Amino acid sequence: MDQYPPNLGLVDRMSAALLGRRVAAACVTVILTICFVAGSYVQATVNQLNDTHQAFNDRQLRNGYVAMSDVQRLVLIMQDAFGKGEMTPNAVDEFRSAADFLFVRTDTFRRTLRNGVYMESADNAVAQLQRVQDLVDHALATNFDGLPTLSQRLTVLSQNARQALVTYLDDMSRQQDRILIRQAIAVQNQRIVIWTTLAGLSVLGIVAIFLLRREVRAKQARQVAEERVRHLAFFDPLTGLPNRVHFQDRLGTLLEKQTSVALLLIDLDGFKSINDTNGHAAGDAILEHVSDMLRLTSDKYDGFASRLGGDEFSVFVQTDDLTLLKCICAEAIDRISQPIVFEGEKLQVEASIGLAMNTQISTQMDMNVDSLSRVADFALYASKSNGKRQFTVYDEALEQQFLKRRAMVEELPRAIADGSMEFFLQPKVDLATEQTYGFEALARWRRNDLIVPPHDFIATAEESGLITDIDYCVLRNATKAIADFNFINNTNFSISINFSTIHFNSRKLIDVVEEALNSSGLAPELLIIEITETIEMQDWDQAKHIIAAIHKLGAKISIDDFGAGFSSLAYLRTTVANEIKIDRSLIEDIETSDISRFLLDAVLDIARNLDLEVTVEGIETRIQADIVSKMGANNAQGYLFGRPMPKEEALQKAIKYSDHVVSRNMARGIQVL
Ligand code: C2E
Ligand code: MG
Ligand code: MG
C-alpha cells in the first residue's frame, strides 16, 4: 500500500538519536570526561611551572652553599701553607683547582642570578666573591709572594664573602618561603578557577543536551502530528485504505495519461442491517474485513483499492481485458462474502459491483474521475436493482439509460422551479367501512406531457440532493390543497407526505413543516410525515431531535415500507412513531404464503403493543383485503381502493366520505377548524 514517508534528513536522524536515553547519557559522560581531562591537563601544566620556579630557587641555594665551601677550601689551603711557611707545589695545584672551581661557581652564580628576581644581597655576594676571585688570581699571578699578607687578606675577604653569601642565602630562603606561600595561594586560586570553569562548562553542556533533547522531541512530535494529518488526508483511519481524495488523485493521473483503466465501484449489501442489529463495532469489523479482501484482490492484479466512504469501496486496475475484469469482480464478491466471526458471532456481508472502463465510455462525455465514477455508479445501481450480490458492466445499453437519466437530472431543478413537479393523491381507507379518511401525496413529474413516476427520478434526486426541494414542494402544495379542501367542505382528511431520511440530518425540516402548517392552516394532527428508508440516516441523535420537534408541532410520524428491510425494527426501537405502513412486499403473496401471514401477524402484534396505527399498503384484491382485515388491520391503501390520482379527481371522489371522515377523526380527537 502507498505511504507518504517522513522526510528525515541526516541532521534529523542524528538529533533523533539523541532522544535515546543511552545516547544522551553517553554525551553527558563524554562532556564530563573531556572537562575532567582538560582540567587535569591544565592543573598539571600549572604544577609544572611552579616546580620549575622552585627548581631555580633550589639551584641558587645550592650554588651559594657550594661557593661558600669553595672559598672555605681556598682559605684552608692558604692558612695551611702560611702555617708551614711556604706553598708546596701540591698546595699550589690544590689552590689552583679550588680557584678554578670558585671561578666557575661565581660565573654560574652570576649568570643564574640574571634569570631570577633582583636582590641587593645577591649583587653584594657576587661582588664579594669577585674580590676573593681577584685576590686568588693575584696570589697565583705573584706566585704567593707575601704569603702572610695574602693569607690574612684572603681570610678577611672570605669572611666578607661568606657573610654576603649567608645574607643572600637568608634573603633567598625568606623569599622562597614567600614564593611558596604565594604559590600555594595561586595554585589554590587556579584550581578553583579551573574547576569552576569546567563545572560551568559541564553544566552548560548538560543543559544544552537537555534543551536539544526537548527541541528534538517537540520537533518529532510535530513531525508525527504533521504525518498523521497528511495520512488522514489521504488514508481512511478505520481501514487504512487510501481515501476518496487519494483515489481521485491517482485515478485522475492515470486518466490523464490515457491508459486503459477499469473502475470497480463496490457497495455492500445489507451493511446497514449489520450496523443496526449487531452494533457499530461489528459494522467496523465488517468494513475492515472488506478492506482486507479488496486489498488482496487489488494487490493480485496490481490495482489500487480505496474506501470512498460509508460502505462504498473502489478498486481500479489498468486493463480493458473484459474477461479478466469479470474474474476480478467475481473474485472480489466471493472474497467479501466470506463470513467473519466477531465477538463469537458469525457475520456475513455481500457486495454489488459496478464496472466501467474508460475505453468503453461514449465520446459524448468528458473523460475524468467524476464521469468514470458516475457511470460505474450507474452500473452499480443496476446491480443493486437486479437483485444485489452481482456485478454489472457499463456497456452500450446501460449507457443509453445513463444518458437518458442524466438529461432528466439536468432538467429536474427547472421542473421543480416551474411547477412541473406535481403530486397525485392516493386514498387511505378504513378497512372496516372502506371509506377514505386521508391521502398520501405521491410526487409526479409532468415532463413533455408525460407523467414520470417517482421510481424514475427519486433515487437520482436523492443522489443529487434535489430531493429536499421536491419534498418541500410536495409538502407545501399538498398541505395547502388538503387544508383548503377541508376548509371548504368542513372535513378533516389527513395528508401523508413522503420524506427522504436525508432531511433528518438537518433542522431545516422543522422550519419547513412549521411554515407549511402555518401558511396552509392545516390542523397539525392531520399532517403525517412518512419516513422512507431509501438512504441511511447519518446521525440518529439529530434525527431523534427533529422527530421530537415535529411531534411538538402536533404533526405525526409514520414509518413507511415497514417490513421491506431488516432495519425497520431498528427504526421502531429508536423512532417515536404514530403509524407504521406495512410494505407491499408482505402483502403480495399473503394469500399463498404462510411466512408472509406469520410476518404480518407479528408486525400487527408489535404495533398493537406499541399502540401504533397500522396502514397496510398495496392491497390489490378483495381476498387480500379480507385476509388483512381478519388479521386485525384497520387501515389500508392500495389499487383496490384507489390508485394515485390527480388531486382534483381524488378529492372529488372523497367528498362522499365527508361525514364519515369527520366523525372518524372526531372520535380520534381531531377537530376541523
Ligand atoms: P410509498 O411511499 O411506499 O408509496 C406507495 C407506492 O406504492 C406508490 O408508488 C404507489 O403508487 C404504490 N402503490 C400503492 N398501492 C399500490 C398497489 O396496490 N399496488 C402496487 N403495485 N403499487 C401500489 P409511487 O407513487 O410510484 O411511489 C413510489 C415511492 O416513491 C413511494 O413509495 C415513496 O417511497 C417514493 N415517493 C413518492 N413521492 C415521493 C416524494 O414526494 N418524496 C419522496 N421522498 N419520496 C416519494
Ligand atoms: Mg409513502
Ligand atoms: Mg410505502
Side-chain angles (χ1 to χ4, degrees), residues 421-424 426 440-444 453-458 462 467-468 470-472 474-475 497-501 503 530-534 560-561 581 583-584 588 617-621 624 637-644:
M421 193 56 69
E422 300 178 1
F423 64 91
F424 277 14
Q426 183 176 30
E440 175 173 6
L442 295 157
R444 294 291 182 269
H455 174 262
D456 286 351
F457 63 87
I458 289 287
E462 278 186 333
I467 190 73
T468 44
I470 296 177
D471 288 351
Y472 293 157
V474 173
L475 170 75
I497 309 286
N498 289 287
F499 266 86
S500 162
T501 43
H503 300 282
E530 290 191 9
I531 305 173
T532 54
E533 272 192 272
T534 40
D560 203 358
D561 303 339
K581 293 184 81 176
D583 191 63
R584 187 159 55 87
E588 267 168 354
E617 285 191 291
I619 302 284
E620 293 184 354
T621 65
Q624 285 172 342
Q637 197 178 328
Y639 292 171
L640 179 69
F641 311 111
R643 286 176 176 262

Side-chain angles (χ1 to χ4, degrees), residues 286-482:
I286 282 285
L287 291 173
E288 283 173 71
H289 157 73
V290 172
S291 308
D292 291 343
M293 296 299 108
L294 288 179
R295 212 176 267 138
L296 283 179
T297 308
S298 78
D299 285 352
K300 185 170 164 190
Y301 298 100
D302 208 14
F304 186 91
S306 40
R307 181 180 175 206
L308 304 180
D311 60 349
E312 243 188 282
F313 295 83
S314 79
V315 172
F316 59 77
V317 247
Q318 292 185 56
T319 179
D320 57 355
D321 179 347
L322 193 56
T323 321
L324 174 68
L325 286 167
K326 284 181 175 173
C327 279
I328 298 176
C329 289
E331 189 180 311
I333 289 174
D334 277 355
R335 278 192 206 264
I336 289 172
S337 65
Q338 284 169 20
I340 62 163
V341 176
F342 177 76
E343 291 181 352
E345 252 185 281
K346 197 168 145 191
L347 302 175
Q348 192 172 16
V349 75
E350 309 279 2
S352 301
I353 297 181
L355 168 67
M357 289 161 277
N358 61 343
T359 48
Q360 279 255 301
I361 294 181
S362 123
T363 46
Q364 289 187 40
M365 277 189 254
D366 291 339
M367 182 40 59
N368 53 35
V369 177
D370 198 37
S371 55
L372 189 62
S373 304
R374 227 181 288 182
V375 296
D377 197 45
F378 195 68
L380 171 64
Y381 184 77
S383 294
K384 291 267 183 196
S385 325
N386 293 337
K388 306 182 176 175
R389 201 193 193 280
Q390 55 186 282
F391 63 89
T392 306
V393 182
Y394 183 81
D395 53 14
E396 265 175 45
L398 219 52
E399 183 154 278
Q400 290 314 311
Q401 289 181 32
F402 177 81
L403 294 173
K404 216 172 106 186
R405 173 74 58 97
R406 198 174 69 162
M408 206 181 258
V409 173
E410 278 166 10
E411 278 179 49
L412 257 181
R414 194 158 35 86
I416 299 166
D418 70 11
S420 311
M421 193 56 69
E422 300 178 1
F423 64 91
F424 277 14
L425 291 177
Q426 183 176 30
K428 290 171 83 176
V429 303
D430 196 326
L431 258 180
T433 59
E434 293 191 7
Q435 295 188 334
T436 303
Y437 66 89
F439 300 94
E440 175 173 6
L442 295 157
R444 294 291 182 269
W445 179 5
R446 190 175 293 280
R447 183 172 181 248
N448 306 330
D449 290 333
L450 285 176
I451 296 291
V452 184
H455 174 262
D456 286 351
F457 63 87
I458 289 287
T460 325
E462 278 186 333
E463 281 164 28
S464 59
L466 287 168
I467 190 73
T468 44
D469 294 337
I470 296 177
D471 288 351
Y472 293 157
C473 170
V474 173
L475 170 75
R476 269 190 284 268
N477 295 340
T479 46
K480 176 95 179 76
I482 295 295

